[in-house]
């Protein structure tokens, strides 16, 4: 999992705030109407509707600002986004204070809504910044309560909701204010604490992931080195045995000749395995693959040509239907041919004599599509998902063919992935298998 | 071309003996060299008709560099070269995928190690007939 960059995280937070605000913009007029007209609570309805309208206008303005910031620069600076978030929280706190003023001040339980902004600030902003926002909120609320208590501004009593105006009682004001201030700071502290813990956990996971990838790379290097050494010795053994097998007729007795032939055959199998393993690890270790434009049709014809004789040995019909649109793929032609050859050799291996293999290719707007179908033994449904796993061989494949590396399809999948393509398998046991390959087309 | 001279440059003595046995069985005159420097000496002294070159000797690209040196020299630039290599060495990682690109891999043929005798003989004959 890639870490979310700070600018993206903040940008998402800024948009999140605007979405939450739409809820407030709807709830304020509805609440005002219900409280004033249904519940019969004395409310200054006009200023409250005005606050909702103001909130609407300012939310649109914020959205325009955010969109501009995103369009102006592909990499939005975290400072700009943070500035917009600060602006949003401050404006919200001011508007909430104004709303409270026109709806009973300290008597209105809406004072709890200050907490929401503290949690948002605690998540999105640094601890210092969120404590500053909490202080701003405490000052705003304190000022409102003080001014209303001292009657410097008028207090609009929530008649119908409270029995008498509460802003007059000094003890009530002080108590509520203290609880309010403490609540705000505690909310900021908790939100900060959780956000920081989450960030730490995320970092730890990321580090663990990087370490695992590094370990995997070391393992690949180790396997690559070991197999390479083995392959060198094996090449010599196989080569020497091949010479003996070629010339032994008449010189060795039947038993000796049989043993040498067996040793030669096994050395070939071992070489194939080591070669596949080496190919896979080397592909995993190399970061780049030399790519160029090439004709997919040509690659397919070349791969089919390479396996024609093998198909002929088993009297398998090899049909090729390559549309001229299956052209122009950007990639490594050698790897693609190797991959198609692997699929074809598999098809030949697991298709009984006199079977058919169809290779077809076409394209759509963005991709070149290749289909390789056979009339072979198929893959059991429950095993289809695993056939691309390293060293995995389907149970019926193991029964049909004792020898096989279990690496062929892993190499296929790896090559497809390195070309940003996709491969799918469709198969029915006893009927046949179809591999569907999609590779991005060059424009 | 019977009795043509073939030089094998490979640091694996056992593999060299195997190649030598097969090629001598076909009537070729075979000489061997265990490394790049000895190989160049023998090329200058004997002017072989064909070079069988292992790609990985001391370094992973020794043979590759030797082939380029030979092509730079006007005297030997037309000498047929068959390179002995592993498939994984020419799959786009540092190597071009096909033989005969004079800029990249200035050789006339490839043989994958391990090599079966009939494949070796066929390739040698093919390259020899392509470049008389």
């Amino acid at each position: 999992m890639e870490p979310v960059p700070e600018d993206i995280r903040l940008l998402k937070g800024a948009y999140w705030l605007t979405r939450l605000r739409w809820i407030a913009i709807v709830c304020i007029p509805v609440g005002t109407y219900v409280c004033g007209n249904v519940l019969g609570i004395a409310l200054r309805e006009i200023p409250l509707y005005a606050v909702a309208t103001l909130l609407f206008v300012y939310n649109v303005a914020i959205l325009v600002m955010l969109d501009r910031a995103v369009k102006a620069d592909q990499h939005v600076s975290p400072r700009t986004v943070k500035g917009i978030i600060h602006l949003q929280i401050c404006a919200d706190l001011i508007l909430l204070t104004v709303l409270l003023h026109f709806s009973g001040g300290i008597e209105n339980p809406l004072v709890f809504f200050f907490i929401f902004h503290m949690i948002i600030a605690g998540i999105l902003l640094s601890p210092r910044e969120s404590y500053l926002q909490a202080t701003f909120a405490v000052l705003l609320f304190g000022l409102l309560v003080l001014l209303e208590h001292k009657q410097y501004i008028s207090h609009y009593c929530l008649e119908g909701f409270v029995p008498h105006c509460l802003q007059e009682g000094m003890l009530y004001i002080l108590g509520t204010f203290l609880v309010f201030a403490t609540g705000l700071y505690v909310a900021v502290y908790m939100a900060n604490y959780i956000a920081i813990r989450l960030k730490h956990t995320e970092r730890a996971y990321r580090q663990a992931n990087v370490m695992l990838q590094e370990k995997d790379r070391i393992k690949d290097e180790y396997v690559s080195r070991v197999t390479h050494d083995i392959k060198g010795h094996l090449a010599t053994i196989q080569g020497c045995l091949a010479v003996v097998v070629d010339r032994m007729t008449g010189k060795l007795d039947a038993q000796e000749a049989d043993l040498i032939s067996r040793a030669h055959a096994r050395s070939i199998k071992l070489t194939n395995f080591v070669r596949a393993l080496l190919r896979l690890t080397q592909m995993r270790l190399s970061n780049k693959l030399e790519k160029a434009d090439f004709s997919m049709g040509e690659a397919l014809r070349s791969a089919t040509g390479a396996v024609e004789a093998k198909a002929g040995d088993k009297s398998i019909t090899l049909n090729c239907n390559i549309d001229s649109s299956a052209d122009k793929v950007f990639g490594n032609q050698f790897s693609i041919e190797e991959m198609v050859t692997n699929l074809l050799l598999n098809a030949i291996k697991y298709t009984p004599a006199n079977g058919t293999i169809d290779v077809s290719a076409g394209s759509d707007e963005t991709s070149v599509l290749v289909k390789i179908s056979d009339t072979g033994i198929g893959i059991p449904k429950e095993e289809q998902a695993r056939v691309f796993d390293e060293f995995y061989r389907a149970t019926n494949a193991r029964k049909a063919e004792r020898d096989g590396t279990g690496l062929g399809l892993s190499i296929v999948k790896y090559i497809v992935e390195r070309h940003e393509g996709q491969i799918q398998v469709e198969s029915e046991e006893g009927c046949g298998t179809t591999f569907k390959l999609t590779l991005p087309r060059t424009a | 071309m019977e009795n043509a001279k073939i030089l094998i440059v490979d640091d694996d003595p056992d593999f060299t003996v195997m190649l030598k046995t097969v090629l001598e069985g076909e009537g070729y005159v075979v000489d061997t060299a265990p490394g790049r420097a000895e190989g160049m000496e023998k090329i200058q002294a004997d002017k072989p008709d064909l070079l069988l070159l292992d790609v990985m000797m001391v370094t992973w690209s020794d043979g590759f560099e030797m082939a380029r040196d030979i092509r730079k020299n006007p005297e030997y630039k037309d000498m047929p070269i068959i390179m002995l290599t592993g498939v994984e060495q020419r799959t786009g990682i540092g190597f071009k995928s096909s033989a005969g690109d004079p800029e990249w891999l200035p050789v006339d043929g490839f043989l994958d190690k391990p090599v079966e005798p009939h494949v070796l003989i066929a390739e040698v004959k093919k390259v020899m007939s392509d470049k008389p």
Side-chain angles (χ1 to χ4, degrees):
Chain A
M1 189 186 75
E2 285 293 307
V4 181
E6 184 67 2
D7 53 344
I8 302 291
R9 192 182 73 90
L10 285 172
L11 200 63
K12 279 187 176 167
Y15 277 110
W16 177 48
L17 269 174
T18 59
R19 284 198 299 277
L20 290 176
R21 197 166 298 112
W22 291 123
I23 301 174
I25 290 164
V26 174
C27 288
I28 292 171
V30 172
T32 305
Y33 182 82
V34 171
C35 290
N37 299 291
V38 181
L39 302 173
I41 299 167
L43 279 177
R44 297 271 154 169
E45 290 184 26
I46 302 296
L48 296 184
Y49 289 132
V51 166
T53 313
L54 208 57
L55 210 54
F56 175 83
V57 174
Y58 127 78
N59 207 28
V60 171
I62 292 285
L63 277 172
V64 171
M65 273 169 83
L66 280 171
D67 285 348
R68 267 199 194 158
V70 174
K71 270 182 201 144
D73 192 357
Q74 287 265 304
H75 305 282
V76 198
S77 85
R79 268 188 69 178
T80 315
V81 187
K82 233 179 196 181
I84 297 177
I85 292 176
H86 272 297
L87 180 73
Q88 291 192 73
I89 296 178
C90 287
D92 281 349
L93 292 176
I94 292 171
L95 281 176
L96 182 57
T97 313
V98 172
L99 186 114
L100 276 180
H101 169 61
F102 287 108
S103 59
I106 203 163
E107 294 155 14
N108 192 335
L110 274 183
V111 287
F112 287 120
F113 279 29
F114 276 96
I115 298 263
F116 295 157
H117 285 87
M118 297 306 107
I119 293 171
I120 289 165
I123 293 169
L124 294 178
L125 305 174
S126 72
R128 193 172 140 264
E129 289 164 334
S130 36
Y131 282 120
L132 273 175
Q133 287 290 2
T135 309
F136 182 58
V138 167
L139 285 176
L140 274 177
F141 183 68
L143 196 67
L144 173 75
V145 172
L146 188 72
L147 291 179
E148 284 191 7
H149 176 72
K150 294 283 181 197
Q151 291 176 354
Y152 292 130
I153 54 173
S154 41
H155 172 74
Y156 304 105
C157 201
L158 268 189
E159 283 168 30
F161 184 68
V162 285
H164 58 88
C165 294
L166 297 172
Q167 102 287 0
E168 289 159 3
M170 189 61 190
L171 196 62
Y172 175 77
I173 289 175
L174 266 179
T176 309
F177 179 73
L178 266 177
V179 171
F180 174 83
T182 321
L184 253 50
Y185 284 113
V186 170
V188 167
Y189 168 76
M190 285 184 165
N192 261 321
Y193 181 78
I194 294 167
I196 288 169
R197 284 293 292 268
L198 279 177
K199 267 190 206 164
H200 280 305
T201 317
E202 195 192 320
R203 198 177 306 146
Y205 278 130
R206 220 179 303 142
Q207 278 170 350
N209 199 22
V210 168
M211 224 167 67
L212 280 176
Q213 281 174 353
E214 175 62 13
K215 284 206 166 144
D216 207 38
R217 197 187 59 77
I218 292 170
K219 180 214 75 188
D220 280 340
E221 259 174 16
Y222 176 80
V223 172
S224 169
R225 192 163 298 173
V226 172
T227 30
H228 192 269
D229 279 356
I230 292 174
K231 194 180 161 230
H233 298 300
L234 206 52
T236 306
I237 294 172
Q238 191 192 318
C240 292
L241 283 172
V243 178
V244 179
V245 169
D246 258 19
R247 298 176 175 192
M248 67 191 173
T249 324
K251 292 178 191 162
L252 300 176
D253 69 34
Q255 213 171 26
E256 286 165 340
D258 179 50
L259 288 173
I260 292 285
S261 297
R262 281 172 190 275
H264 180 228
R266 286 304 271 270
S267 72
I268 292 174
K269 279 166 197 165
L270 189 53
T271 305
N272 288 341
F273 175 75
V274 165
R275 193 180 263 174
L277 189 58
L278 198 55
R279 178 81 179 97
L280 193 65
T281 43
Q282 289 201 339
M283 270 197 300
R284 283 160 55 132
L285 282 170
S286 80
N287 298 320
K288 58 170 195 267
L289 199 64
E290 271 184 27
K291 289 183 182 172
D293 279 334
F294 69 90
S295 154
M296 190 66 194
E298 207 177 281
L300 284 172
R301 273 184 283 273
S302 160
T304 350
V307 301
E308 237 164 23
K310 270 221 160 100
D313 288 347
K314 283 178 86 175
S315 306
I316 291 171
T317 316
L318 195 58
N319 296 323
C320 230
N321 183 11
I322 299 163
D323 193 89
S324 59
S325 68
D327 222 34
K328 270 201 176 173
V329 169
F330 182 70
N332 184 279
Q333 185 172 353
F334 187 92
S335 297
I336 296 287
E337 280 179 23
E338 180 193 10
M339 171 195 69
V340 176
T341 310
N342 264 345
L343 287 173
L344 288 171
L345 286 176
N346 254 8
I348 294 169
K349 201 187 222 176
Y350 299 113
T351 299
N354 304 314
T356 310
I357 296 171
D358 290 308
V359 179
S360 66
S363 68
D364 61 17
E365 274 172 20
T366 54
S367 318
V368 168
L369 312 156
V370 179
K371 235 163 80 172
I372 297 174
S373 315
D374 62 48
T375 53
I377 59 170
I379 306 163
K381 273 265 170 313
E382 62 280 9
E383 293 184 64
Q384 285 174 13
R386 295 193 60 193
V387 289
F388 294 105
D389 292 356
E390 284 167 32
F391 303 110
Y392 188 81
R393 296 189 68 212
T395 37
N396 60 341
R398 265 178 281 158
K399 263 182 225 155
E401 274 281 337
R402 206 170 70 89
D403 304 306
T405 59
L407 291 172
L409 286 179
S410 309
I411 293 175
V412 166
K413 181 143 193 262
Y414 202 79
I415 293 173
V416 174
E417 279 173 359
R418 289 295 286 267
H419 285 83
E420 282 95 41
Q422 280 178 325
I423 186 154
Q424 286 170 315
V425 59
E426 281 169 16
S427 182
E428 198 167 322
E429 210 177 343
C431 293
T433 304
T434 301
F435 282 98
K436 282 184 181 171
L437 184 70
T438 318
L439 286 171
R441 231 175 109 158
T442 324
Chain B
M1 194 156 51
E2 290 301 309
N3 299 325
K5 279 187 283 183
I6 297 179
L7 176 66
I8 301 168
V9 182
D10 194 326
D11 63 343
D12 181 338
D14 302 325
F15 197 77
T16 312
V17 167
M18 187 281 279
L19 293 173
K20 195 168 185 263
T21 312
V22 173
L23 292 171
E24 280 177 348
E26 289 294 304
Y28 294 106
V29 177
V30 183
D31 198 0
T32 62
R36 200 168 149 185
E38 296 89 337
M40 285 312 276
E41 269 172 32
K42 289 209 167 160
I43 288 174
Q44 274 157 10
D46 301 334
K47 301 202 173 40
D49 299 303
L50 178 109
L51 185 65
L52 262 180
L53 186 56
D54 181 26
V55 73
M56 277 182 133
M57 290 183 284
V58 181
T59 69
W60 67 279
S61 60
D62 243 10
F64 172 62
E65 277 153 24
M66 185 170 166
R68 292 221 281 194
D69 285 349
I70 292 168
R71 289 291 182 250
K72 270 186 220 150
N73 190 326
E75 213 178 320
Y76 317 117
K77 68 177 173 33
D78 293 326
M79 186 200 297
I81 302 175
I82 295 175
M83 191 159 270
L84 292 160
T85 166
V87 181
E88 66 279 355
Q89 281 160 5
R90 47 185 166 103
T91 46
I93 312 149
F95 284 82
K96 277 276 166 163
S97 58
S98 59
D101 182 340
E103 287 290 314
W104 272 89
L105 211 41
V107 298
D108 304 280
F110 278 115
L111 281 172
D112 293 329
K113 269 187 171 186
V115 57
E116 290 289 308
H118 65 277
V119 179
L120 170 68
I121 293 160
E123 184 71 12
V124 165
K125 281 189 177 154
K126 183 179 151 278
V127 169
M128 288 271 214
S129 63
D130 283 353
K131 281 205 175 181

